[in-house]
Amino acid sequence: MTAGDDTVSGITWGELERRFAAADRKRVATVAWRAAERVAPVIAAAADVYGPEALEWLNAITAVLRTVEHFLTGSPVSRFTLDLAADIARGTATGAAGVVRLMGPSKAAEDAELAFAAAAFAADACRTSNPQRAAASAVQGVRAADATGLVSRALLDTDVAKLDGDPFGLLWPLGEPDWWADGKKRLAAAGPMVRVLG
């Protein structure tokens, strides 16, 4: 299957949401986190269009995803911290949108926007105790990641198939794509992300 299809794992997005609502909330949130983790490094490509500030966007989203990961692996993470994580993802999207308005739209901006949304919805899936809301957030996040067209549906199908408790396994079982590894390297090479304003 390709991005934009109306089915995943042989079911519609609506059916997937119902399946998510019936599954363990942390397992569902893990599927959303894995989708967001797979697309986040594409944000680095925006630096070619909008300058090094885009690497700060990626740094912020990476922090959001680490927070979600800590929650999913059982580390103590408060609801307040998850609220902040979701707000950081959305605030990053707002900041990036301002830059895009000034400098003009691009495919890189569209992909970054989808990555911001995937991260925000992954945090949302963790911070609610309502299974239906968690399911809705997870599906929205997965759909945002899917809309980039960067991740094969086979990976999502595999994650969905493991909702019942099998280990999820490697994020990229066939090896990391070049664009993904490049985004990670660009962030690591950027050094401190804090800009001093004076």
Short mmCIF file of all heavy atoms in Angstrom, two decimals, residues 33 61-73 75 77-78 81-86 88 123 126:
data_model
loop_
_atom_site.label_atom_id
_atom_site.label_comp_id
_atom_site.label_asym_id
_atom_site.label_seq_id
_atom_site.Cartn_x
_atom_site.Cartn_y
_atom_site.Cartn_z
N TRP A 33 3.89 6.70 18.72
CA TRP A 33 5.26 7.19 18.94
C TRP A 33 6.20 6.68 17.86
O TRP A 33 7.03 7.43 17.32
CB TRP A 33 5.76 6.75 20.32
CG TRP A 33 7.22 7.00 20.50
CD1 TRP A 33 7.82 8.20 20.76
CD2 TRP A 33 8.27 6.03 20.39
NE1 TRP A 33 9.19 8.03 20.84
CE2 TRP A 33 9.48 6.71 20.60
CE3 TRP A 33 8.30 4.67 20.12
CZ2 TRP A 33 10.72 6.06 20.56
CZ3 TRP A 33 9.53 4.03 20.10
CH2 TRP A 33 10.72 4.72 20.31
N ILE A 61 11.25 18.76 18.73
CA ILE A 61 10.44 17.57 18.50
C ILE A 61 11.14 16.32 19.04
O ILE A 61 10.49 15.41 19.57
CB ILE A 61 10.10 17.43 17.00
CG1 ILE A 61 9.23 18.61 16.55
CG2 ILE A 61 9.43 16.10 16.70
CD1 ILE A 61 7.94 18.81 17.35
N THR A 62 12.45 16.28 18.95
CA THR A 62 13.20 15.17 19.53
C THR A 62 12.99 15.11 21.04
O THR A 62 12.81 14.03 21.61
CB THR A 62 14.70 15.30 19.19
OG1 THR A 62 14.84 15.25 17.76
CG2 THR A 62 15.51 14.19 19.81
N ALA A 63 12.98 16.28 21.70
CA ALA A 63 12.72 16.32 23.15
C ALA A 63 11.31 15.82 23.46
O ALA A 63 11.10 15.08 24.43
CB ALA A 63 12.93 17.73 23.68
N VAL A 64 10.35 16.20 22.64
CA VAL A 64 8.97 15.71 22.83
C VAL A 64 8.94 14.19 22.73
O VAL A 64 8.35 13.50 23.58
CB VAL A 64 8.03 16.35 21.78
CG1 VAL A 64 6.66 15.65 21.76
CG2 VAL A 64 7.87 17.84 22.02
N LEU A 65 9.58 13.66 21.71
CA LEU A 65 9.55 12.22 21.50
C LEU A 65 10.31 11.46 22.58
O LEU A 65 9.95 10.34 22.94
CB LEU A 65 10.08 11.87 20.11
CG LEU A 65 9.16 12.36 18.97
CD1 LEU A 65 9.80 12.11 17.62
CD2 LEU A 65 7.79 11.71 19.05
N ARG A 66 11.38 12.04 23.15
CA ARG A 66 12.07 11.40 24.27
C ARG A 66 11.17 11.35 25.50
O ARG A 66 11.17 10.38 26.25
CB ARG A 66 13.37 12.14 24.60
CG ARG A 66 14.49 12.06 23.59
CD ARG A 66 15.05 10.68 23.27
NE ARG A 66 14.16 9.80 22.55
CZ ARG A 66 13.89 9.85 21.22
NH1 ARG A 66 14.44 10.75 20.46
NH2 ARG A 66 13.06 8.99 20.66
N THR A 67 10.40 12.41 25.72
CA THR A 67 9.46 12.44 26.84
C THR A 67 8.41 11.35 26.68
O THR A 67 8.12 10.60 27.62
CB THR A 67 8.79 13.83 26.94
OG1 THR A 67 9.80 14.81 27.13
CG2 THR A 67 7.80 13.88 28.09
N VAL A 68 7.85 11.24 25.49
CA VAL A 68 6.86 10.19 25.21
C VAL A 68 7.49 8.82 25.40
O VAL A 68 6.89 7.92 26.02
CB VAL A 68 6.29 10.36 23.79
CG1 VAL A 68 5.45 9.15 23.38
CG2 VAL A 68 5.48 11.65 23.69
N GLU A 69 8.70 8.65 24.90
CA GLU A 69 9.39 7.36 25.04
C GLU A 69 9.59 7.00 26.51
O GLU A 69 9.39 5.84 26.91
CB GLU A 69 10.73 7.42 24.31
CG GLU A 69 11.50 6.12 24.36
CD GLU A 69 12.84 6.21 23.63
OE1 GLU A 69 13.38 7.33 23.48
OE2 GLU A 69 13.35 5.15 23.23
N HIS A 70 9.99 7.98 27.33
CA HIS A 70 10.16 7.71 28.77
C HIS A 70 8.86 7.22 29.38
O HIS A 70 8.85 6.26 30.16
CB HIS A 70 10.66 8.96 29.50
CG HIS A 70 12.10 9.27 29.26
ND1 HIS A 70 13.12 8.39 29.54
CD2 HIS A 70 12.70 10.37 28.76
CE1 HIS A 70 14.29 8.93 29.22
NE2 HIS A 70 14.06 10.13 28.73
N PHE A 71 7.76 7.88 29.05
CA PHE A 71 6.47 7.44 29.57
C PHE A 71 6.16 6.01 29.13
O PHE A 71 5.74 5.18 29.94
CB PHE A 71 5.37 8.39 29.08
CG PHE A 71 3.98 7.92 29.40
CD1 PHE A 71 3.45 8.09 30.66
CD2 PHE A 71 3.21 7.31 28.43
CE1 PHE A 71 2.17 7.64 30.96
CE2 PHE A 71 1.93 6.86 28.72
CZ PHE A 71 1.40 7.03 29.99
N LEU A 72 6.39 5.72 27.87
CA LEU A 72 6.04 4.41 27.33
C LEU A 72 6.91 3.28 27.89
O LEU A 72 6.48 2.14 27.94
CB LEU A 72 6.12 4.43 25.81
CG LEU A 72 5.08 5.31 25.13
CD1 LEU A 72 5.34 5.42 23.63
CD2 LEU A 72 3.66 4.81 25.39
N THR A 73 8.13 3.61 28.30
CA THR A 73 9.01 2.58 28.85
C THR A 73 8.90 2.47 30.37
O THR A 73 9.66 1.74 30.99
CB THR A 73 10.48 2.83 28.45
OG1 THR A 73 10.87 4.13 28.88
CG2 THR A 73 10.65 2.70 26.94
N SER A 75 9.13 4.96 32.75
CA SER A 75 9.73 5.98 33.60
C SER A 75 8.62 6.90 34.12
O SER A 75 7.63 7.12 33.44
CB SER A 75 10.74 6.82 32.82
OG SER A 75 11.82 6.01 32.39
N VAL A 77 6.61 9.88 34.41
CA VAL A 77 6.39 11.12 33.65
C VAL A 77 5.00 11.61 34.04
O VAL A 77 4.02 10.86 33.93
CB VAL A 77 6.45 10.88 32.13
CG1 VAL A 77 6.16 12.16 31.36
CG2 VAL A 77 7.81 10.32 31.73
N SER A 78 4.92 12.83 34.53
CA SER A 78 3.63 13.35 35.00
C SER A 78 2.73 13.76 33.84
O SER A 78 3.19 13.98 32.71
CB SER A 78 3.86 14.56 35.92
OG SER A 78 4.31 15.66 35.15
N THR A 81 3.86 17.06 32.51
CA THR A 81 4.99 16.98 31.58
C THR A 81 4.51 16.55 30.19
O THR A 81 4.97 17.09 29.18
CB THR A 81 6.06 16.01 32.11
OG1 THR A 81 6.51 16.50 33.38
CG2 THR A 81 7.24 15.91 31.18
N LEU A 82 3.58 15.61 30.14
CA LEU A 82 3.03 15.20 28.84
C LEU A 82 2.24 16.33 28.20
O LEU A 82 2.27 16.51 26.98
CB LEU A 82 2.17 13.95 29.00
CG LEU A 82 2.94 12.67 29.30
CD1 LEU A 82 2.00 11.56 29.71
CD2 LEU A 82 3.79 12.24 28.10
N ASP A 83 1.52 17.12 29.03
CA ASP A 83 0.82 18.29 28.50
C ASP A 83 1.82 19.26 27.87
O ASP A 83 1.59 19.79 26.77
CB ASP A 83 0.07 19.02 29.62
CG ASP A 83 -1.15 18.26 30.11
OD1 ASP A 83 -1.59 17.30 29.44
OD2 ASP A 83 -1.67 18.64 31.18
N LEU A 84 2.94 19.49 28.58
CA LEU A 84 3.97 20.39 28.05
C LEU A 84 4.55 19.84 26.75
O LEU A 84 4.79 20.60 25.80
CB LEU A 84 5.09 20.58 29.06
CG LEU A 84 4.79 21.47 30.27
CD1 LEU A 84 6.00 21.50 31.20
CD2 LEU A 84 4.43 22.88 29.83
N ALA A 85 4.78 18.54 26.70
CA ALA A 85 5.34 17.94 25.49
C ALA A 85 4.42 18.18 24.29
O ALA A 85 4.89 18.58 23.21
CB ALA A 85 5.57 16.45 25.70
N ALA A 86 3.13 17.96 24.48
CA ALA A 86 2.18 18.19 23.38
C ALA A 86 2.18 19.67 22.99
O ALA A 86 2.16 20.01 21.79
CB ALA A 86 0.78 17.74 23.79
N ILE A 88 4.67 21.80 23.36
CA ILE A 88 5.93 22.12 22.68
C ILE A 88 5.85 21.75 21.21
O ILE A 88 6.27 22.51 20.33
CB ILE A 88 7.12 21.43 23.37
CG1 ILE A 88 7.41 22.12 24.71
CG2 ILE A 88 8.36 21.43 22.48
CD1 ILE A 88 8.37 21.37 25.60
N ALA A 123 2.05 12.43 21.93
CA ALA A 123 1.95 12.90 23.32
C ALA A 123 0.50 12.88 23.80
O ALA A 123 0.21 12.49 24.93
CB ALA A 123 2.55 14.30 23.45
N CYS A 126 -0.70 9.58 24.97
CA CYS A 126 -0.18 9.20 26.28
C CYS A 126 -0.90 9.93 27.40
O CYS A 126 -1.07 9.37 28.50
CB CYS A 126 1.31 9.52 26.37
SG CYS A 126 2.35 8.56 25.29
#
